[in-house]
């Protein structure tokens, strides 16, 4: 007889159920979806960063054989509401100026890549040929690239009807900051800069739309949040909700946040399908992708810390200036990321007195779009690296400075209003130092120095969001935070789970199945997961912000538990037992009475009764075996901690550095599948290293993007990154049914401060500091030679 | 990122057919070798090729090995279609011409090295490409053929500037001949790039001939620094006739950093490129000297 613990799936590093089809090249991505009669779109985009459009001549393009239609901005705008409808405008207080947004530029372009004309043709080659025949006359306007320039009152205004170039301004914080600074023994005051970088998913954006008057609009799109998009489409396009169906494909080739917003192209493709009554397909090319999405970070922090001489931080002041680009991408408007960066600025530290002034400034660049470590990447760099600078300044061991300031009591609410639910941050931190063998490395550092080798050790922390509860999310993005799932046992006793989120590589087919298998005592192969289709799945906000393991898995577990109550009643009835229902064990596809193991019914028999032979059900019981649950944690938000440490060797002659060790101590509550957690940590660290050292979206003074292919936007490959050691340090959260929390979203966050502090420790020269990302060898060489 | 219309695709199997086609279509035609530069350019519409002549089946362009010329001189002949992979790993290269492997083995990634050819790389003449530097350092000759006949250029004559060479639209690069080195010759190459397998921020190639510890002759070229690999003539002059010590190599590096004209781009500033040259110049020279002792170029 199989015991319950032998059948336990949660906690096992089983292989991903998704991988066989992906490895065999049988994944179904947006690019694989083509409907009969499909037409193809190519967009003519602005070659100027800021200009008035004087004239658009599309005649030649229209006459090119194979062109179906050529469409310009006014026509599209006339068919819909301005895109930023109230339901997708964040309500975060402060002062917000909202741009008027339509899919195509009408009389003005605001960045290189701003879409102006859509060419629709019988195939994608023709569409691109014809695009080259469109003639656009521009009248160039002054280009604003520097947000601090754009802030000046005499600066030209990018959105002419605004009173300034500030899209959002507001303040965050609490406590008596003045007093903290008055009582400080030392005040650290520095300007930190985190450059424009983020991510570049292997699969670019893409959409296929079709329309007919009876079924309405169907949009296949590799969105992270099909339900939210559906709602917005219905409102913006004035189509009844029942006539808008959004379907995210089964496989999405990575998103990292970039596929969460509501983009102008999404609306355009829908409009074109409605106009032409033919399916329309658009797949963003790599150049468009690098010109449009994945650009995040881009924050300047004027950070001040009020410090007691033992290293305790009494207060924090920060003035943040974020370059949000044109601010015209829906839901986030480019400013929700820096806002969250500010809200999470104090990271894992107990800093009671905080005042943050945040200005989100528009420039002639594409709008910021979310990227893994949402808004936090530059903030973590500033905060954690500042703690190292404090230690250096006060001649303290940085490990003591960290320990002194790490949050110790839970739940903890930061001065910016973020709730840390539970955990053992100090324990995780100490585990890292042990794993690094900190004292020995410091010893080795001294010896190496004698031989002219510069070795350094550094560390940083990241308290990453693990989903955001409705209490916060409703205000932040006008959306619920709950997780939702429907669990159905079918006529063959197999279990279907329908989730409202829409994964892009997170492995939900594996992890949700592991949790459900344990709940219902079935085999993982008995479970199939469905997602992406808004006509079939329960409403939810989408796969983002580490919601999966915390919220969505929990919803699936709760749905199972609802179902289990009914199943136990049926079992008791069939077995002829007087039972109080919760007296059964679910194992090995059987429902077993705890009081007498011989009394058992197979799940198949119960499904058969409930679905196919309802006459055998207890009198009065409703037929069917399905339940839907919406999970909301009984706390405003959950966070999961990661502590990163690195040992580096620096070549002082060139500023080049080598990562000798990279260690992550990681808490995700309960790992549903430790292999997937490790994968998330590995991927997150690699992205963090890429963002810290190699990747940068560069613009010249005229606002021309210089990194429009992967030959210029340098992402590291396996050969560029070190071995990443991962140590689990899990503290189950009491706020989810299984104790699970999310992991992966915030992992890149601690990387820049980890590397910056390690490099600074290796150089170990008074006054040497690295205040600007990226940390390229040249930038380090410059820092070394400037302070000489 | 789809190419402009391509009206004809030819895949001839003899050199003669190739030359006929080139003669017929001239400027309209583009030769397709490994496609690792041409295809991206076509997709970006930075190049236009109504006619494609795929040379991958042409046997005459696939020679590889040592041979004796009529003059009696022995050369390493590398057919234009020789793949980067062969140059990176062929036993003959590894044992006798390791500088070529130094350069070829870090070109792009495995897929690119499997497809990319030396002919394509040299004709494409990217200033930050890897193969031009060792080809220059080894005083190679390049054979161009066309309907009109054959032309032979030294590598130094072949490269004109940024992605420009002496080749005419009706010509094809057939092969490269690398002369046998004098006894006591060694050579080495190193590239510094932003990410692994990327184009060079700087690259350095050096060849040194030693006799009794004295430098008889030398050849040094630097890649990635400006529109064409640049010869470090003063450094060569500095080295020639000197007894090679580590101190001399250090000084030679300084001369090299001093003489080279470097440009800035977004990968690195001119100053930083000089920092890199200073750091790695010495290593490359030392390695060439070490190989000279082992008779490896
Ligand atoms: C992602 C990526 C990374 C790369 N990284 C590097 C790198 O690190 N270092 C490096 O050096 N290179 C790099 N390359 C370029 C690579 O080496 C190319 O293979 C090479 O530049 C071109 O060779 P090919 O055979 O592919 O030529 P093709 O692309 O087929 O042709 C290139 C040009 O040469 C012409 N041509 C080709 N053969 C002949 C011939 N026999 N006679 C006359 N004309 C000819 C073609 O008409 C075309 O104009 C990289 C390429 C890519 C895509």
């Amino acid at each position: 007889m199989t015991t319950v613990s032998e059948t336990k799936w949660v906690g096992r590093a089983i292989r991903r159920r998704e991988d066989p089809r992906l490895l065999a090249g049988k994944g179904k991505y947006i690019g694989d979806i083509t409907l009969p009669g499909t037409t193809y779109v190519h967009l003519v985009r602005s070659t100027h960063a800021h200009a008035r459009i004087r004239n658009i001549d599309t005649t030649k393009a229209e006459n090119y054989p194979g062109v179906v239609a050529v469409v310009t901005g006014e026509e599209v705008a006339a068919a819909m509401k301005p895109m930023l409808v109230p339901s997708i405008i964040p309500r975060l207080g402060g002062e917000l100026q909202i741009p008027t947004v339509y899919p195509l530029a009408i009389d003005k372009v605001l960045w290189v890549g701003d879409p102006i004309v859509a060419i629709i043709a019988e195939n994608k080659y023709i569409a691109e040929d014809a695009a080259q025949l469109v003639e656009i006359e521009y009248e160039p306007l002054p280009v604003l690239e520097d947000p601090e320039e754009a802030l000046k009152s005499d600066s030209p205004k990018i959105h002419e009807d605004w009173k300034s170039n500030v899209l959002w301004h507001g303040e965050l914080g609490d406590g008596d900051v003045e007093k903290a600074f008055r009582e400080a023994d030392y005040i650290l005051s520095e300007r930190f800069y985190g450059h424009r970088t983020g991510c570049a998913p292997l699969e670019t954006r893409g959409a296929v739309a079709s329309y007919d008057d009876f079924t309405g609009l169907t949009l296949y799109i590799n969105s992270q949040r099909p339900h939210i998009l559906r709602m917005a489409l219905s409102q913006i396009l004035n189509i009844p909700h029942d006539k808008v169906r959004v379907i995210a494909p089964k496989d999405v080739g990575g998103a990292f946040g970039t596929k969460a917003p509501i983009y102008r192209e999404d609306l355009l493709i829908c409009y074109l399908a409605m106009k032409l009554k033919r399916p329309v397909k658009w797949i963003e090319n790599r150049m468009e992708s690098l010109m449009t999405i994945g650009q995040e970070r881009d924050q300047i922090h004027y950070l001040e810390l009020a410090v007691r001489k033992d290293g305790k931080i009494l207060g924090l002041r920060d003035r943040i200036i974020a370059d949000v680009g044109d601010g015209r991408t829906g839901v986030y408007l480019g400013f929700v990321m820096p806002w969250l960066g500010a809200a999470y600025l104090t990271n894992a530290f107990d800093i009671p007195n905080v005042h943050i002034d945040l200005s989100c400034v528009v420039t002639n660049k594409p709008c910021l779009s979310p990227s893994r470590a949402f808004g936090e990447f530059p903030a973590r760099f500033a905060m954690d690296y500042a703690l190292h600078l404090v230690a250096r300044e006060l001649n303290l061991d940085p490990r003591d400075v960290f320990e002194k300031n790490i949050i110790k009591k839970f739940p903890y609410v930061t001065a910016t209003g973020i709730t840390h639910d539970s955990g053992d941050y100090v324990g995780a931190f100490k585990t890292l130092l042990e794993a690094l063998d900190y004292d020995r490395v410091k010893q080795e550092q001294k010896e190496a120095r004698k031989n002219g080798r510069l070795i350094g050790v550094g560390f940083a922390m990241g308290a990453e969001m693990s989903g955001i509860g409705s209490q916060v999310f409703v205000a932040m993005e006008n959306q619920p935070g709950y997780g939702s799932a429907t669990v159905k046992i079918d006529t063959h006793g197999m279990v279907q789970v329908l989730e409202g989120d829409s994964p892009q590589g997170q492995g939900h087919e594996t992890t949700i199945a592991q949790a459900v298998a344990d709940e219902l005592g079935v085999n993982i192969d008995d479970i199939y997961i469905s997602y992406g289709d808004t006509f079939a799945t329960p409403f939810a906000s989408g796969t983002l912000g580490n919601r999966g393991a915390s919220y969505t898995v929990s919803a699936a577990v709760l749905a199972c538990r609802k179902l289990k109550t009914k199943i136990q009643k049926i079992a008791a009835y069939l077995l002829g037992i007087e039972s109080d229902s919760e007296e059964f064990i679910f194992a090995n596809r059987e429902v077993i009475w705890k009081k007498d193991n011989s009394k058992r019914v197979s799940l198949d028999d119960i499904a058969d009764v409930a679905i196919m032979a309802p006459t055998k059900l207890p009198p009065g019981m409703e037929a069917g075996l399905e339940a839907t649950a919406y999970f909301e944690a009984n706390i405003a938000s959950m966070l999961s901690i990661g502590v990163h440490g690195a040992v580096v060797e620096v070549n002082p002659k060139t500023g080049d550095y080598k990562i000798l060790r990279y260690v992550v101590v990681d808490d995700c509550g309960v790992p549903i599948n430790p292999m997937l957690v490790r994968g998330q940590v590995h991927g997150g660290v690699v992205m963090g290293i890429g963002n810290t050292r190699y990747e940068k979206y560069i613009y010249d003074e005229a606002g021309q993007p210089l990194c429009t292919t992967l030959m210029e936007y340098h992402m590291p490959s396996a050969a560029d990154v070190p071995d990443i050691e991962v140590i689990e340090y899990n503290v189950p959260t009491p706020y989810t049914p299984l104790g699970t929390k999310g992991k992966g979203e915030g992992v890149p966050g601690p990387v820049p401060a980890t590397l910056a502090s390690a490099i600074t420790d290796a150089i170990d020269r008074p006054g040497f500091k690295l205040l600007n990302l990226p940390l390229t060898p040249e930038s380090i060489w410059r820092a070394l030679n400037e302070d000489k | 990122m789809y190419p402009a219309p391509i009206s004809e695709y030819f895949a001839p199997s003899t050199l003669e057919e190739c030359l006929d086609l080139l003669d017929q279509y001239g400027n309209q035609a583009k030769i397709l070798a490994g496609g690792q530069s041409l295809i991206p350019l076509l997709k970006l519409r930075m190049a236009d090729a109504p006619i494609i002549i795929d040379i991958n089946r042409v046997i005459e362009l696939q020679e590889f090995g040592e041979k004796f010329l009529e003059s009696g001189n022995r050369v390493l002949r590398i057919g234009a279609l020789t793949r980067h992979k062969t140059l990176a790993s062929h036993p003959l290269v590894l044992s006798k011409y390791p500088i070529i492997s130094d350069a070829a083995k870090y070109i792009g990634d495995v897929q690119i090295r499997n497809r990319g050819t030396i002919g394509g790389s040299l004709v494409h003449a990217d200033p930050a490409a890897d193969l031009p530097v060792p080809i220059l350092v080894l005083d190679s000759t390049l054979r161009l053929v066309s309907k009109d006949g054959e032309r032979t250029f030294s590598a130094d004559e072949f490269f004109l500037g940024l992605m420009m060479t002496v080749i005419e639209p009706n010509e094809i690069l057939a092969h490269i001949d690398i002369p046998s080195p004098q006894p006591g010759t060694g050579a080495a190459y190193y590239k510094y790039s932003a990410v692994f397998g990327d184009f060079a921020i700087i690259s350095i190639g050096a060849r040194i001939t030693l006799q009794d510890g004295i430098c008889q002759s030398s050849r040094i070229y630097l890649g990635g620094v400006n529109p064409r690999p640049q010869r470090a003539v003063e450094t060569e002059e500095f080295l020639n006739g000197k007894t090679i010590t580590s101190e001399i190599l250090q000084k030679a590096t300084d001369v090299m950093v001093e003489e080279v004209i470097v440009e800035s781009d977004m990968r690195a500033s001119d100053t930083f490129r000089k920092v890199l040259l200073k750091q790695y110049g010495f290593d490359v020279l030392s390695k060439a000297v070490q190989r000279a002792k082992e008779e490896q170029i």
Side-chain angles (χ1 to χ4, degrees):
Chain A
M1 203 185 303
T2 325
T3 67
V4 177
S5 61
E6 279 168 23
T7 63
K8 206 160 153 45
W9 289 92
V10 168
R12 277 166 62 184
I14 59 165
R15 291 196 175 166
R16 288 176 13 121
R17 302 171 77 203
E18 292 83 345
D19 288 342
R21 71 167 181 273
L22 301 181
L23 293 172
K26 300 289 180 196
K28 255 255 179 255
Y29 294 94
I30 187 71
D32 299 313
I33 296 170
T34 303
L35 305 173
T38 293
T39 60
Y40 296 83
V41 179
H42 185 87
L43 295 172
V44 180
R45 294 174 178 274
S46 173
T47 52
H48 287 260
H50 197 193
R52 245 174 255 295
I53 300 173
R54 279 289 164 231
N55 188 43
I56 304 175
D57 186 350
T58 58
T59 340
K60 284 188 206 145
E62 279 160 32
N63 294 329
Y64 193 78
V67 168
V68 175
V70 178
V71 170
T72 53
E74 250 161 277
E75 174 190 331
V76 184
M80 63 182 72
K81 291 193 196 127
M83 278 180 57
L84 299 174
V85 290
S87 72
I88 56 168
I89 294 174
R91 294 176 299 182
L92 290 165
E95 307 142 59
L96 174 66
Q97 302 194 80
I98 301 167
T100 307
V101 187
Y102 290 107
L104 296 175
I106 297 176
D107 43 21
K108 219 179 138 177
V109 286
L110 302 186
W111 51 284
V112 174
D114 204 341
I116 305 171
V117 179
I119 313 278
I120 306 92
E122 296 294 346
N123 71 41
K124 46 204 179 188
Y125 294 86
I126 295 173
E128 196 164 328
D129 291 346
Q132 302 209 305
L133 303 174
V134 172
E135 285 162 21
I136 300 172
E137 267 175 53
Y138 299 94
E139 177 193 324
L141 295 169
V143 173
L144 283 174
E145 287 300 300
D146 176 352
E148 292 190 285
E149 252 339 281
L151 262 181
K152 291 184 181 153
S153 56
D154 57 348
S155 216
K157 279 188 301 232
I158 290 178
H159 298 289
E160 285 164 37
D161 54 336
W162 286 12
K163 56 186 202 301
S164 68
N165 285 320
V166 181
L167 181 130
W168 189 85
H169 172 259
E171 292 167 46
L172 294 88
D174 199 8
D176 193 342
V177 180
E178 297 303 322
K179 181 162 171 273
F181 276 82
R182 265 198 319 274
E183 290 174 356
D185 297 317
Y186 165 67
I187 293 174
L188 175 125
S189 174
E190 294 289 0
R191 180 189 190 272
F192 297 90
Y193 169 61
H195 65 300
R196 189 169 269 243
T197 181
C199 49
L202 192 56
E203 182 200 39
T204 58
R205 288 180 295 153
V208 178
S210 70
Y211 183 85
D212 71 67
D213 292 335
F214 306 102
T215 47
L217 176 71
T218 305
L219 175 67
Y220 295 88
I221 185 165
N222 49 11
S223 167
Q224 291 174 246
R225 35 188 9 187
H227 284 281
I228 301 295
L229 182 58
R230 174 190 181 197
M231 194 181 72
L233 291 178
S234 160
Q235 291 169 5
I236 300 165
L237 295 167
N238 282 312
I239 318 175
H241 208 231
D242 67 314
K243 293 280 188 299
V244 183
R245 180 175 182 182
V246 174
I247 303 173
K250 179 134 185 134
D251 294 307
V252 175
F256 311 105
T258 62
K259 290 167 184 165
I262 295 172
Y263 287 103
R264 293 160 69 194
E265 290 89 345
D266 305 354
L267 272 294
L268 175 70
I269 304 309
C270 293
Y271 166 74
L272 294 174
M274 292 167 71
K275 171 190 163 91
L276 300 170
K277 303 266 185 339
R278 280 183 68 179
V280 174
K281 181 169 183 173
W282 173 71
I283 304 288
E284 179 183 53
N285 67 37
R286 179 65 58 197
M287 215 168 205
E288 291 176 294
S289 192
L290 290 169
M291 282 161 78
T292 314
I293 66 165
Q295 306 197 12
E296 217 234 59
R297 327 311 189 198
D298 220 343
Q299 297 169 17
I300 300 162
H301 289 251
Y302 289 94
L303 180 71
E304 289 181 280
L305 296 179
V307 192
R308 208 165 59 195
K309 58 175 176 287
D310 63 353
K312 173 71 193 155
I313 311 295
L314 304 173
L316 175 156
R317 266 197 216 115
D318 195 6
R319 187 163 66 84
I320 309 174
I321 298 159
D323 175 351
V324 303
D326 79 340
R328 288 190 293 173
T329 298
V331 184
Y332 303 97
L333 305 187
F335 88 96
V336 181
M337 288 75 81
W339 178 84
L340 201 87
Y344 281 17
L345 176 67
T346 56
N347 198 4
F349 309 112
D350 167 28
I351 305 177
N353 307 300
V354 173
H355 179 260
I356 301 170
D357 178 290
L358 169 63
S359 298
C360 299
V361 185
V362 291
T363 60
N364 294 116
K365 291 180 204 155
C367 186
L368 293 187
S369 56
S371 286
R372 196 174 189 181
F374 190 101
E376 298 159 2
F377 191 81
R380 295 265 185 277
F381 167 57
M383 182 71 230
D384 285 47
Y385 186 53
L387 288 184
H388 283 279
L389 293 180
V390 163
R392 297 188 74 77
E393 196 61 45
L394 298 180
N395 258 320
L396 300 170
D397 188 331
R399 105 183 114 169
D400 297 334
V401 174
F402 270 67
E403 253 191 76
K404 199 152 266 136
N405 289 291
I406 290 173
I407 296 168
K408 293 171 192 83
K409 281 208 196 93
F410 297 90
Y412 175 91
V413 181
T414 68
T416 53
I418 299 296
T419 304
H420 292 246
D421 60 306
S422 63
D424 174 10
Y425 293 1
V426 173
F429 180 72
K430 286 186 170 158
T431 305
L432 177 88
L433 294 174
E434 267 168 43
L436 280 176
D437 213 341
Y438 188 78
D439 292 312
R440 212 184 78 203
V441 178
K442 293 303 278 181
Q443 199 51 46
E444 283 171 2
Q445 175 180 42
K446 282 195 199 122
E447 320 252 297
R449 201 168 286 276
K450 287 183 206 148
N451 305 322
R453 289 179 60 201
L454 302 186
I455 309 264
V457 56
F459 46 81
M461 308 189 65
E464 55 178 294
M465 69 174 125
S466 173
I468 299 181
S470 293
Q471 292 176 48
V472 180
F473 216 33
V474 170
M476 196 168 124
E477 293 181 21
N478 252 319
Q479 289 154 23
Y482 56 67
S484 66
T486 299
V487 175
K488 291 185 187 183
I489 299 185
D490 72 15
T491 50
H492 288 61
M494 298 190 83
V495 184
Q496 183 183 18
V497 184
L498 297 114
E499 60 159 319
D501 289 351
S502 199
Q504 323 95 42
Q506 289 81 354
H508 285 198
E509 283 176 70
T510 307
T511 51
I512 293 180
Q514 284 182 268
V516 168
D518 276 358
E519 288 297 318
L520 296 179
V522 299
N523 192 292
I524 197 158
D525 296 328
D526 301 329
I527 300 168
Y528 53 114
I529 315 282
S530 304
Y531 50 78
D533 185 350
T534 51
F535 267 25
T537 55
F539 188 86
S541 296
T543 296
L544 34 87
N546 270 339
R547 286 167 40 79
S550 46
Y551 286 85
T552 311
V553 164
S554 300
V557 167
L558 292 192
C560 288
R561 291 185 184 171
K562 280 189 186 177
L563 213 49
K564 282 165 85 170
T565 307
K566 182 170 183 178
I567 292 171
Q568 293 181 72
K569 280 194 185 129
I570 300 172
Y573 181 74
L574 294 179
L575 292 166
I577 307 170
E578 277 293 321
S579 161
D580 212 9
S581 76
E582 306 299 322
E583 290 175 343
F584 288 85
I585 292 167
F586 285 66
N588 215 13
R589 294 189 64 78
E590 286 182 315
V591 185
I592 308 157
W593 197 30
K594 284 183 201 162
K595 292 183 181 161
D596 176 355
N597 271 352
S598 69
K599 301 255 186 244
R600 49 177 70 203
V601 196
S602 81
L603 206 57
D604 296 32
D605 289 345
I606 291 180
D608 195 52
V609 167
I611 301 164
M612 300 304 288
T615 49
K616 295 181 192 159
L617 281 173
M621 184 183 272
E622 190 184 345
L625 273 185
E626 59 180 86
T628 297
Y630 292 85
F631 172 74
E632 192 82 71
N634 189 22
I635 192 155
S637 62
M638 294 176 280
L639 282 84
S640 58
I641 195 77
V643 194
H644 295 210
V647 181
V648 304
E649 177 165 2
V650 183
N651 178 343
K653 287 191 210 138
T654 60
D656 210 345
Y657 56 101
K658 200 170 160 195
I659 302 173
L660 304 177
R661 279 188 77 195
Y662 202 99
V663 187
V664 179
V665 174
D666 189 75
D667 176 4
C668 64
V670 168
I672 298 167
N673 183 323
M675 184 179 74
L676 267 67
V677 176
R678 273 199 302 281
Q680 286 291 337
V681 175
H682 287 167
V685 170
V686 172
M687 187 175 275
I689 292 174
N691 281 196
T692 301
R693 172 167 178 163
Y694 303 104
E695 302 169 33
K696 183 178 182 182
Y697 290 107
I698 304 174
Y699 288 82
D700 70 8
E701 313 86 72
Q704 291 294 333
L706 302 181
C707 301
T708 56
T709 79
L710 293 173
M711 299 297 284
E712 297 96 27
Y713 190 75
H714 284 129
M715 294 204 287
S717 71
D720 296 297
V721 293
D723 227 23
I724 298 157
E725 301 163 49
V726 184
I727 296 165
E728 287 181 24
Y729 188 85
N730 293 309
V731 181
T733 177
Y735 298 99
T736 62
L738 301 181
T740 55
K741 297 201 238 189
K743 180 54 67 181
E745 197 281 329
V747 178
V751 177
T754 300
L755 294 180
S757 59
I759 294 164
T760 309
D761 184 50
I763 303 284
D764 195 23
R765 185 196 289 172
F768 176 85
K769 47 196 158 203
L770 296 165
L771 302 174
N772 299 295
L773 297 178
L775 304 176
T776 61
E778 178 161 2
S779 74
I780 291 161
W781 176 82
R782 283 189 187 283
L784 269 168
N785 287 281
E786 266 157 20
D787 74 316
K788 258 185 193 161
Chain B
M1 294 172 85
Y2 294 102
I6 293 167
S7 49
E8 292 275 12
Y9 166 85
F10 298 100
S13 48
T14 66
L15 188 56
E16 200 185 334
E17 283 174 83
C18 275
L19 299 180
D20 285 342
L21 287 165
L22 278 175
D23 194 56
Q24 186 181 344
Y25 291 107
N27 262 330
Q28 291 284 297
K30 274 266 173 219
I31 292 173
L32 174 71
Q36 298 307 302
S37 297
L38 183 62
I39 301 287
L41 288 179
L42 292 177
K43 292 183 83 171
L44 291 166
R45 297 199 180 214
M46 286 162 71
D48 188 10
I51 313 285
I52 298 263
I53 304 171
D54 180 343
I55 59 172
N56 283 281
R57 288 169 185 75
V58 179
I59 304 288
E60 292 100 312
L61 303 175
Q62 301 184 17
E63 274 182 275
F64 181 83
E66 287 186 320
K67 70 184 285 170
F68 286 95
L69 303 180
E70 278 166 21
S71 61
N73 292 337
R74 197 188 57 187
V75 296
L76 172 65
R77 172 154 299 178
I78 304 176
L81 270 182
T82 306
R83 312 280 163 184
H84 303 334
K85 180 183 179 258
T86 308
L87 299 178
S89 57
H90 196 284
L92 180 60
V93 176
L94 292 176
S95 62
K96 290 179 74 179
Y97 306 89
I99 184 178
I100 299 176
S101 168
D102 289 351
K105 71 181 169 199
Y106 297 126
I107 296 177
D109 54 36
V110 177
Q111 288 84 350
I112 289 159
R113 292 194 294 274
N114 281 341
R115 297 295 308 164
T117 67
I118 187 168
S121 179
L122 299 181
V123 173
H124 186 60
D126 187 311
D130 288 295
L131 291 174
V133 171
I135 293 309
L136 283 158
V137 162
L138 298 179
D139 280 353
S140 321
T141 52
L142 287 79
R143 174 66 56 96
L144 307 182
V145 292
S146 72
K147 270 297 242 199
D148 308 333
E150 298 190 355
R151 301 198 292 160
T152 303
F153 290 89
S154 72
D156 201 59
E157 295 162 337
F158 179 77
F159 295 105
L160 294 177
L162 182 70
M163 295 176 159
M164 270 180 11
T165 69
V166 297
I167 200 160
E168 293 291 335
N170 68 337
E171 277 180 316
I172 200 161
L173 170 61
H175 60 246
I176 299 104
D177 280 345
I178 295 176
S180 284
Q182 307 250 310
T185 301
Y189 172 87
Y190 178 80
K191 114 168 125 173
Y192 185 90
S193 57
V195 284
F196 195 82
D198 189 24
F199 282 96
I201 290 178
I202 56 109
S203 66
I204 307 164
R207 170 171 61 90
I208 292 175
T209 305
L210 289 181
Q211 205 182 345
D212 304 329
I214 298 168
C215 176
Q216 303 300 310
S217 68
S218 58
R219 190 71 83 234
I220 299 166
Y221 277 91
L222 307 172
V225 289
N226 57 38
R228 209 208 88 137
Q230 192 183 335
R231 185 168 163 193
V233 184
E234 288 170 29
T235 315
E236 293 173 8
E237 280 167 5
F238 173 84
L239 283 169
N240 295 347
K242 291 220 168 57
T243 304
I244 297 302
T245 60
S246 149
E247 210 187 335
I248 288 294
L249 295 184
Q250 201 58 263
K251 281 197 182 140
T253 306
D254 292 341
V255 174
M256 184 182 89
V257 172
E258 191 60 37
E259 77 168 301
V260 64
I261 300 160
V262 189
E263 292 184 4
S264 290
D265 63 18
M266 73 178 176
R267 282 164 200 249
S269 68
D270 48 359
T271 332
F272 189 62
R273 282 195 159 90
K274 290 211 169 197
V275 169
L276 294 171
L277 290 172
K278 185 162 170 60
Q279 171 73 20
Y280 297 105
F282 175 78
D283 297 348
V284 173
L285 294 175
S286 309
K287 185 135 196 197
V289 167
Q290 180 205 326
R291 282 186 179 155
K293 292 174 187 156
E294 295 156 14
E295 305 272 345
Q296 283 186 323
I297 59 168

